C-alpha cells in the first residue's frame, strides 16, 4: 500500500508488535527455565488466601488445603516424590499464617527453617487426582515445632502419604512464640510413639556425623520469516517449561546414559555425583529449597542403580523400583552457586526394600550439609532375589546402623497407627 512503512516484509506496526511479543516470550521462557516461577507465585497466593480467611485461634488445630496433581508434578505418571514436600511447603505457609505463628515470628524477630523431614508414601497420587493436605502441629521442644502433614485422597479418603517436618525456630523458640500468641505458657502435648522414634533417628544420625567431623548471550535477529519461526519455538518451549518439569526428564535421561558409559561398581560401593545449586533450585530464602534435595537424590539413585546393575536385575526379574519412604536431615543450607557432591550407597536391605543413604557434601570444606535415607521398595521381586541374581549366590545384608533401625521403627509404628485408623473408619462406615 502506498505510503506504508515496510520493514522486512512487515508493516511498521506488525514489526513493533512482533518484536514486543518476541521479547515477552523470551523473558518468560528465561524465567520459567531458570526459576521455579510457580513456586513463588503459589507462595504469594497461599499466604494472601490464608490472610483473608478467618484466623484459627487454636495453634494445634488441624488445617486442610485442597490440591490436585498437575502435569508439572508427575514423573512416571504419578506425583514425583519431591513434589510432595513442595506441596507441604505451601500447606505450612497457610497453617502458620492462619494460626498466627508467622505473626509471632515477625513480632519477635525470629524465623522458621526446615530442619528435617520424613515422608512415607502409601499410595501414589495420579495425574489429575484431587487430594486434601491436612497439616497440624503435633508437638514442640526447645528448638523446633514438629508438624504432621497428610495427603488424603478426595476419592476414597485413603491417606496416600504422611510427612513429619521438624521446623526449627531461629533467634527464638517455640515456647516464646506460643507464649506471645496465647499470653501464657503452653505445655507441649505428649509425643506420639512414631515421633519419638524419628527424633531418636535424628539424634543418632547427628551424633554419628559429628563423630566423623566432616566438616547462559544475547543475539539480534531481523524480524523476517526466521523471527516467526523463533517465535513459535519460544512459544512451544515456554508451554513445555511452564507445564512440565522438562529438566527432570532431561536429567533422568542423562543419568541413565552416564550409567551405561561408566564402569560397573560393587553393589555396596559408594557412588559420587557432582552438583551445583542453580537458580532453579532456590526458594525465597536464597538457598536450595528442601524439596530440591530429594529431586537431586532421584538422579543420584538412577546413577547408583545403573552402575551397580540393580536396574539390570530388576528388568531381568520383571520387577520394579519405587520409593516407599524417605527422611532427610538438613545440617547446613546450600547457597546459590555452591558446588557439592552427592554420595550414595546401599547400607542394607530386608525382604521388601533396599535402604539407601545419600549425603550432600560441600566441595568447599567437606561438610555434610544434608543426609537422606531412602526406602526403595521392590514390587514383584525382592532385594534378596536381585542380589542373588547379580552375585550368583545368596548375600546377607550388612548390619543396620542404629539410626536406620530407629527410622524403621518409626515407619512400622506409623504404619500400624494408620491401619488402625483405616479399620476404625471402615467400621464407622
Amino acid at each position: 500500500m502506498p505510503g506504508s512503512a515496510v520493514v522486512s516484509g512487515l508493516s511498521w506496526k506488525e514489526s513493533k508488535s512482533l518484536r514486543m511479543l518476541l521479547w515477552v516470550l523470551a523473558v518468560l521462557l528465561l524465567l520459567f527455565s531458570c526459576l521455579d516461577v510457580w513456586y513463588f507465585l503459589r507462595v504469594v497466593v497461599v499466604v494472601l488466601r490464608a490472610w483473608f480467611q478467618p484466623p484459627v485461634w487454636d495453634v494445634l488445630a488441624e488445617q486442610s488445603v485442597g490440591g490436585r496433581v498437575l502435569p508439572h508434578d508427575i514423573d512416571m505418571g504419578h506425583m514425583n516424590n519431591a513434589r510432595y514436600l513442595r506441596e507441604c511447603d505451601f500447606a505450612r505457609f497457610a497453617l502458620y499464617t492462619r494460626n498466627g505463628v508467622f505473626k509471632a515470628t515477625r513480632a519477635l524477630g525470629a524465623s522458621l527453617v526446615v530442619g528435617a523431614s520424613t515422608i512415607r508414601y502409601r499410595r501414589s497420587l495420579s495425574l489429575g487426582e484431587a487430594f486434601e493436605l491436612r497439616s497440624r502441629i503435633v508437638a514442640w521442644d526447645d528448638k523446633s515445632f514438629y508438624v504432621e502433614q497428610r495427603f488424603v485422597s478426595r476419592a476414597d479418603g485413603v491417606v496416600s502419604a504422611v510427612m513429619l517436618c521438624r521446623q526449627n525456630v531461629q533467634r527464638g523458640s517455640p515456647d516464646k512464640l506460643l507464649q506471645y500468641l496465647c499470653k501464657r505458657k503452653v505445655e507441649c502435648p505428649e509425643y506420639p510413639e512414631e515421633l519419638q522414634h524419628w527424633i531418636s533417628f535424628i539424634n543418632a544420625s547427628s551424633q554419628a556425623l559429628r563423630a566423623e567431623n566432616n566438616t547462559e548471550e544475547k543475539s539480534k535477529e531481523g524480524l523476517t520469516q526466521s523471527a516467526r519461526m523463533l517465535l513459535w519455538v519460544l512459544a512451544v518451549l515456554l508451554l513445555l517449561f511452564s507445564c512440565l518439569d522438562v529438566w527432570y526428564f532431561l536429567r533422568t535421561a542423562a543419568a541413565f546414559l552416564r550409567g551405561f558409559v561408566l564402569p560397573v561398581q560393587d553393589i555396596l560401593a559408594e557412588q559420587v555425583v557432582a552438583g551445583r545449586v542453580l537458580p532453579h533450585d532456590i526458594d525465597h530464602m536464597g538457598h536450595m529449597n528442601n524439596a530440591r534435595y530429594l529431586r537431586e537424590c532421584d538422579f543420584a539413585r538412577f546413577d547408583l542403580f545403573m552402575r551397580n546393575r540393580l536396574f539390570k536385575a530388576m528388568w531381568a526379574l520383571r520387577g520394579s523400583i519405587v520409593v516407599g519412604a524417605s527422611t532427610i536431615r538438613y545440617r547446613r543450607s546450600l547457597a546459590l552457586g555452591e558446588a557439592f557432591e552427592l554420595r550414595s550407597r546401599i547400607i542394607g536391605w530386608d525382604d521388601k526394600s533396599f535402604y539407601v543413604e545419600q549425603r550432600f557434601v560441600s566441595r568447599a570444606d567437606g561438610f555434610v550439609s544434608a543426609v537422606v535415607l531412602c526406602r526403595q521398595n521392590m514390587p514383584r521381586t525382592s532385594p534378596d532375589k536381585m542380589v542373588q541374581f547379580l552375585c550368583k549366590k545368596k548375600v546377607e545384608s550388612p548390619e543396620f546402623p542404629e539410626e536406620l533401625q530407629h527410622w524403621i521403627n518409626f515407619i512400622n509404628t506409623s504404619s500400624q497407627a494408620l491401619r488402625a485408623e483405616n479399620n476404625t473408619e471402615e467400621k464407622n462406615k
Side-chain angles (χ1 to χ4, degrees):
M1 182 180 292
S4 64
V6 178
V7 179
S8 300
L10 299 174
S11 70
W12 182 83
K13 288 185 177 180
E14 288 175 333
S15 171
K16 185 177 180 181
S17 300
L18 192 59
R19 184 183 289 110
M20 180 64 71
L21 182 57
L22 194 63
W23 273 104
V24 169
L25 287 175
V27 170
L28 287 174
L29 175 60
L30 184 64
L31 284 173
F32 275 98
S33 61
C34 294
L35 291 172
D36 194 350
V37 177
W38 293 122
Y39 178 89
F40 295 99
L41 291 177
R42 282 193 62 187
V43 168
V44 173
V45 170
V46 165
V47 172
L48 287 177
R49 181 174 178 270
W51 182 269
F52 287 105
Q53 288 179 320
V56 177
W57 302 114
D58 183 1
V59 74
L60 297 177
E62 182 180 81
Q63 298 184 36
S64 296
V65 294
R68 188 178 295 274
V69 182
L70 301 177
H72 215 152
D73 299 323
I74 63 170
D75 51 17
M76 299 173 68
H78 55 233
M79 191 165 175
N80 176 258
N81 68 90
R83 288 281 166 167
Y84 286 84
L85 270 68
R86 190 175 186 269
E87 292 299 316
C88 287
D89 273 3
F90 305 132
R92 288 197 305 275
F93 291 150
L95 176 72
Y96 298 149
T97 301
R98 294 189 66 190
N99 67 13
V101 169
F102 272 159
K103 176 184 176 181
T105 56
R106 289 194 299 270
L108 299 177
S111 63
L112 298 173
V113 296
V114 176
S117 64
T118 187
I119 184 167
R120 285 189 58 241
Y121 308 95
R122 303 182 70 234
R123 190 180 73 182
S124 61
L125 291 170
S126 304
L127 177 62
E129 186 171 351
F131 60 86
E132 283 186 355
L133 183 42
R134 302 173 183 173
S135 307
R136 66 188 181 98
I137 296 174
V138 294
W140 58 86
D141 54 25
D142 56 337
K143 294 181 179 179
S144 313
F145 287 107
Y146 295 94
V147 183
E148 182 191 71
Q149 298 181 275
R150 296 186 175 196
F151 290 79
V152 181
S153 172
R154 284 191 170 181
D156 54 10
V158 169
V159 179
S160 299
V162 184
M163 193 187 95
L164 285 178
C165 175
R166 182 180 188 175
Q167 195 86 54
N168 295 344
V169 181
Q170 295 183 327
R171 300 185 300 278
S173 69
D175 285 327
K176 290 180 180 178
L177 296 181
L178 294 176
Q179 193 165 352
Y180 174 86
L181 289 174
C182 303
K183 311 304 180 187
R184 60 183 175 85
K185 184 172 177 61
V186 181
E187 293 297 327
C188 175
E190 185 178 353
Y191 286 17
E193 183 183 356
E194 63 265 33
L195 178 57
Q196 293 177 9
H197 285 306
W198 186 47
I199 294 174
S200 297
F201 151 74
I202 292 173
N203 294 335
S205 175
S206 182
Q207 290 170 6
L209 287 168
R210 288 196 188 101
E212 291 180 13
N213 197 26
N214 286 334
T215 19
E216 197 184 276
E217 184 175 356
K218 294 179 182 178
S219 61
K220 295 181 180 180
E221 296 285 344
L223 293 173
T224 60
Q225 190 64 31
S226 60
R228 294 179 184 272
M229 180 63 72
L230 179 59
L231 196 65
W232 275 103
V233 170
L234 288 173
V236 171
L237 287 174
L238 176 60
L239 182 64
L240 286 173
F241 275 99
S242 60
C243 295
L244 292 172
D245 192 350
V246 177
W247 293 122
Y248 180 89
F249 295 99
L250 291 177
R251 287 193 59 187
T252 298
F256 276 104
L257 289 174
R258 183 174 181 270
F260 273 116
V261 174
L262 293 175
V264 173
Q265 297 282 356
D266 180 78
I267 193 170
L268 295 177
E270 182 179 77
Q271 313 284 6
V272 180
V273 294
R276 187 178 294 274
V277 182
L278 301 178
H280 215 153
D281 299 321
I282 64 172
D283 55 20
H284 62 290
M285 299 183 70
H287 57 225
M288 190 165 174
N289 177 258
N290 68 90
R292 287 282 166 167
Y293 286 84
L294 267 65
R295 189 175 186 269
E296 292 298 317
C297 287
D298 273 1
F299 306 131
R301 287 197 305 276
F302 292 151
D303 180 82
L304 175 68
F305 296 154
M306 285 296 295
R307 295 190 65 190
N308 66 16
R309 300 174 300 161
L310 274 185
F311 274 148
K312 176 183 177 181
M314 177 195 75
W315 294 324
L317 298 173
R318 298 186 177 182
S320 62
I321 296 180
V322 295
V323 176
S326 64
T327 188
I328 181 168
R329 283 191 59 242
Y330 309 95
R331 303 182 71 228
R332 189 178 73 185
S333 62
L334 291 170
L336 177 63
E338 186 171 351
F340 60 87
E341 288 184 348
L342 183 42
R343 303 174 182 174
S344 308
R345 65 189 180 100
I346 294 174
I347 57 175
W349 59 84
D350 54 25
D351 56 338
K352 294 181 179 179
S353 312
F354 285 105
Y355 295 94
V356 182
E357 181 192 70
Q358 298 180 276
R359 297 184 176 195
F360 290 79
V361 181
S362 173
R363 280 190 166 184
D365 56 6
F367 188 83
V368 180
S369 298
V371 185
V372 179
L373 284 180
C374 178
R375 183 181 189 175
Q376 202 81 48
N377 295 343
M378 304 290 143
R380 300 190 299 277
T381 186
S382 70
D384 285 328
K385 290 179 181 179
M386 295 174 73
V387 174
Q388 191 167 354
F389 174 85
L390 293 174
C391 302
K392 310 304 180 186
K393 62 177 181 177
K394 184 173 178 61
V395 179
E396 295 295 330
S397 167
E399 186 178 351
F400 287 4
E402 181 187 357
E403 62 264 34
L404 176 58
Q405 191 60 61
H406 284 305
W407 186 48
I408 293 173
N409 291 338
F410 153 74
I411 292 173
N412 294 335
T413 305
S414 175
S415 182
Q416 290 169 6
L418 287 169
R419 288 196 189 101
E421 284 185 22
N422 288 341
N423 291 335
T424 303
E425 290 175 0
E426 288 174 3
K427 289 179 181 178
N428 291 335
K429 289 179 181 179

